[in-house]
C-alpha cells in the first residue's frame, strides 16, 4: 500500500515498514554484512520503507547507501534499460560485499538484472532482499530472490473491516483525523539463494551460524554452539560481537522465533506441539520466551496473522 494514501488522509491499511526494516537488518546482520544498501521505488521522497531501514541501521552504528536515480540514470527512451544501467553503475560504486534491501520483489529483480550485467556476483558481492514474496518473480529470477513476506491476507481482511466500518457510519476520517492507520506486521523472511552467503571470512562463525540455523529448534544453548565451532564460550561470544554485532544467544533466539512465527501464522498446529518442536519444556516456557521476544503472546500473534 502506498504512503501517498496516508498523505492525503485516505483511510487505508499499510504494512509495518519499521518491522520490515528491522527484519531486513537482522537478516543481513546474521550473515555478517557491515555494508548495507537500499533500492527504492520511483518516488524516493515518499519512500518510508527506505527511511525506516536507514533509521534501523543507524541505531546499530551502520549506514545505508541509497540508490538515487537522479544521480545514476541518464535520459533515454527505454526506461527499463536506463534503470538497469543506472543501477549497475551504482552497484559497481559500492563497497563489497553488501546487503541491499529493495522496495519490492520487482525492484529486487531489476537490481539482480543490473548485477548480472556487471562483473559482480550475487550473493557473494551483492546480496539482495526483496519485499512481497511474489513467488513467480522470486523463483524465476536467477539466483532466486530472498524476500520478506507480507501478511497480505491480513491486510486485505483489515481493509475490508475498515471499509465496512466506513460504510456503516461507525466512524469518519474527517470526524476522527487522529484515528491510527493499521500497520500490519510482516510474516518474516523467505530465504533463497540471493542472500545465501556469509559476509565474514571467519570459518568458525560460519560453522556456528549454520549449526544454529539447523539445530536451534532442538533447544541448543551457547555451549553446544561453541563446542561445535571448536571454541570456548568466551571466544565464541567475542567472535560474534566482532563480526555480527550480536551474541550467539541473540542469534539462537532470533532463529527460534522466526520458525515459531512461521508455524503460528501458516498452520493450525497446537501450541503444545509447537513448544515441543521448538525445544521448549512446556507451553508455559514457550509463552515466556515469545513474550520476552515480541511483547505479545503466541495466541495473539496467531490471531493477528491468520486470515479467518
Amino acid at each position: 500500500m502506498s504512503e501517498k494514501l496516508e498523505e492525503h488522509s485516505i483511510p487505508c491499511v499499510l504494512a509495518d515498514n519499521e518491522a520490515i526494516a528491522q527484519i531486513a537488518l537482522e537478516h543481513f546482520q546474521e550473515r555478517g554484512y557491515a555494508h548495507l544498501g537500499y533500492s527504492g521505488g520511483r518516488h524516493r521522497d515518499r519512500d518510508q520503507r527506505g527511511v525506516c531501514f536507514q533509521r534501523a541501521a543507524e541505531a546499530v552504528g551502520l549506514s545505508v547507501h541509497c540508490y538515487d536515480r537522479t544521480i545514476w540514470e541518464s535520459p533515454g527512451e527505454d526506461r527499463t534499460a536506463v534503470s538497469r544501467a543506472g543501477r549497475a553503475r551504482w552497484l559497481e560504486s559500492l563497497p563489497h560485499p553488501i546487503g541491499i534491501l529493495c522496495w519490492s520483489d520487482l525492484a529486487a529483480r531489476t537490481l539482480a538484472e543490473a548485477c548480472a550485467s556487471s562483473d559482480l556476483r550475487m550473493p557473494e558481492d551483492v546480496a539482495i532482499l526483496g519485499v512481497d514474496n511474489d513467488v513467480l518473480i522470486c523463483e524465476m529470477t536467477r539466483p532466486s530472490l530472498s524476500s520478506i513476506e507480507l501478511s497480505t491476507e491480513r491486510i486485505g481482511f483489515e481493509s475490508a473491516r475498515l471499509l465496512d466500518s466506513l460504510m456503516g457510519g461507525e466512524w469518519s476520517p474527517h470526524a476522527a483525523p487522529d484515528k491510527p492507520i493499521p500497520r500490519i506486521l510482516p510474516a518474516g523472511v523467505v530465504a533463497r539463494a540471493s542472500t545465501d552467503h556469509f559476509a565474514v571470512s571467519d570459518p568458525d562463525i560460519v560453522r556456528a551460524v549454520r549449526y544454529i540455523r539447523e539445530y536451534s529448534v532442538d533447544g541448543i544453548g551457547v555451549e553446544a554452539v561453541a563446542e561445535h565451532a571448536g571454541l570456548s564460550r568466551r571466544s565464541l561470544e567475542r567472535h560474534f560481537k566482532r563480526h555480527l554485532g550480536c551474541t550467539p544467544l541473540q542469534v539462537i533466539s532470533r532463529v527460534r522465533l522466526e520458525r515459531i512465527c512461521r508455524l503460528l501464522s501458516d498452520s493450525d498446529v497446537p501450541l503444545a506441539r509447537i513448544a515441543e518442536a521448538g525445544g521448549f519444556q512446556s507451553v508455559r516456557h514457550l509463552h515466556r520466551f515469545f513474550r520476552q521476544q515480541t511483547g505479545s503472546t503466541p495466541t495473539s500473534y496467531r490471531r493477528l496473522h491468520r486470515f479467518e
Side-chain angles (χ1 to χ4, degrees), residues 5-204:
L5 298 176
E6 182 179 4
E7 290 174 6
H8 295 289
S9 300
I10 297 175
C12 55
V13 178
L14 302 174
D16 190 326
N17 282 322
E18 290 187 0
I20 290 171
Q22 188 61 41
I23 287 174
L25 176 64
E26 291 175 356
H27 186 71
F28 287 130
Q29 277 189 301
E30 187 180 309
R31 286 154 178 77
Y33 284 91
H35 302 297
L36 301 173
Y38 180 78
S39 182
R42 295 188 61 82
H43 300 285
R44 188 168 179 266
D45 58 326
R46 297 193 184 103
D47 195 344
Q48 288 300 310
R49 192 163 293 167
V51 171
C52 290
F53 190 50
Q54 292 179 74
R55 189 183 301 133
E58 289 170 358
V60 295
L62 298 175
S63 59
V64 177
H65 301 268
C66 292
Y67 179 70
D68 187 340
R69 65 176 60 248
T70 63
I71 296 175
W72 297 101
E73 295 183 14
S74 303
E77 295 182 0
D78 188 337
R79 289 298 308 165
T80 301
V82 168
S83 179
R84 188 184 302 120
R87 281 172 169 77
R89 288 190 290 270
W90 175 63
L91 288 172
E92 290 167 355
S93 75
L94 299 174
H96 305 113
I98 187 169
I100 301 178
L101 171 66
C102 296
W103 162 259
S104 66
D105 291 335
L106 193 59
R109 183 177 67 181
T110 300
L111 197 65
E113 292 170 348
C115 192
S117 69
S118 68
D119 292 328
L120 297 171
R121 302 164 300 164
M122 186 172 84
E124 291 83 359
D125 299 316
V126 180
I128 297 176
L129 177 63
V131 177
D132 288 334
N133 193 36
D134 185 314
V135 176
L136 184 61
I137 292 177
C138 292
E139 294 293 349
M140 294 301 289
T141 304
R142 289 292 177 268
S144 59
L145 293 171
S146 295
S147 183
I148 296 176
E149 183 175 4
L150 301 182
S151 302
T152 50
E153 289 186 333
R154 174 56 60 181
I155 290 175
F157 180 82
E158 294 299 336
S159 297
R161 191 206 302 270
L162 177 60
L163 178 60
D164 182 66
S165 67
L166 286 168
M167 294 176 67
E170 293 180 24
W171 66 275
S172 165
H174 303 293
D178 296 328
K179 187 176 181 66
I181 294 174
R183 300 279 178 173
I184 307 302
L185 296 173
V189 174
V190 178
R192 298 186 179 89
S194 68
T195 59
D196 188 16
H197 180 70
F198 288 93
V200 294
S201 57
D202 190 326
D204 294 329

Side-chain angles (χ1 to χ4, degrees), residues 41 62 93 97 180 217 222 227 230 238 286:
L62 298 175
S93 75
V217 293
V222 178
E227 182 179 352
R238 277 203 309 268
L286 169 64

Side-chain angles (χ1 to χ4, degrees), residues 275-294:
E276 181 182 356
F280 295 94
Q281 296 178 359
S282 66
V283 172
R284 183 168 58 85
H285 286 88
L286 169 64
H287 267 268
R288 185 165 58 192
F289 168 80
F290 200 87
R291 185 177 285 279
Q292 287 174 344
Q293 297 295 317
T294 68

